[in-house]
Amino acid sequence: MNIFLLIISICMGTGRSLFSKKMSSGTHKEKRFYINQAMFFLAGAAILFLFNLNAFERVTFFTVWYGAVYGILVFFAQWCYTVALSRGTTSICVMIYSMAFIISSIAGVLLWDEQFKILTVLGLVLAISAVATSAFSGDGSQKSGKGFLIPNLIAMLCG
């Protein structure tokens, strides 16, 4: 069951990324962005309830509080990400946005006493190098866009 939910989650996350680019261009992009995000989150909630009817049986105040804060951050991250997608190339925006795992790696070392192994450092260096290389490898024919980096970094930090 868990693997099925994981596959659905991956498909929905990928679909959200693909449709966010489409929703970020044209007129009334903010309205389409909100509709797009609401559809994906509601579909995810419906699937959760479908497979786990008692998912909210033991919900505490802190669960609701943390969920609300997380929801606000995710909403803000997706808005910033859509702004970045409307101004920059998809490949660079997706790579920067997906670099949020760096924060998790550093938090593990600082907050949970995890070891920072040489392979972890090597992985982080390679990932950052890939983003930097992709960002500066354009031939000038791509839509470079101005002002996509700041909202993209905010989206990465909030996501």
Side-chain angles (χ1 to χ4, degrees):
M1 177 64 73
N2 289 339
I3 194 75
F4 179 68
L5 291 174
L6 180 62
I7 291 169
I8 289 174
S9 174
I10 291 169
C11 291
M12 290 182 70
T14 302
R16 184 180 53 152
S17 293
L18 292 173
F19 290 115
S20 289
K21 177 67 175 182
K22 180 67 176 166
M23 296 293 138
S24 66
S25 58
T27 58
H28 305 295
K29 58 187 171 190
E30 291 84 10
K31 181 179 177 183
R32 289 191 286 174
F33 163 76
Y34 292 122
I35 291 170
N36 174 40
Q37 298 305 312
M39 286 177 7
F40 276 104
F41 288 120
L42 288 174
I47 291 170
L48 175 67
F49 285 123
L50 185 69
F51 289 102
N52 191 3
L53 295 175
N54 58 355
F56 295 104
E57 191 173 273
R58 297 182 184 156
V59 175
T60 67
F61 169 76
F62 289 109
T63 302
V64 173
W65 173 252
Y66 293 142
V69 170
Y70 177 74
I72 290 167
L73 286 174
V74 168
F75 180 81
F76 186 63
Q78 286 300 300
W79 182 78
C80 288
Y81 182 54
T82 303
V83 168
L85 282 171
S86 69
R87 298 176 181 174
T89 57
T90 302
S91 60
I92 295 171
C93 290
V94 168
M95 279 194 284
I96 292 171
Y97 183 65
S98 67
M99 298 292 283
F101 71 88
I102 292 172
I103 298 166
S104 302
S105 299
I106 294 170
V109 172
L110 297 176
L111 302 175
W112 298 290
D113 297 324
E114 294 179 359
Q115 293 182 350
F116 211 57
K117 299 179 182 179
I118 190 69
L119 287 177
T120 305
V121 174
L122 181 62
L124 293 174
V125 168
L126 287 173
I128 292 168
S129 299
V131 170
T133 302
S134 296
F136 297 110
S137 66
D139 61 357
S141 63
Q142 292 182 342
K143 174 183 140 189
S144 61
K146 298 215 186 244
F148 79 94
L149 187 59
I150 298 298
N152 209 177
L153 288 174
I154 293 170
M156 179 193 81
L157 293 172
C158 290

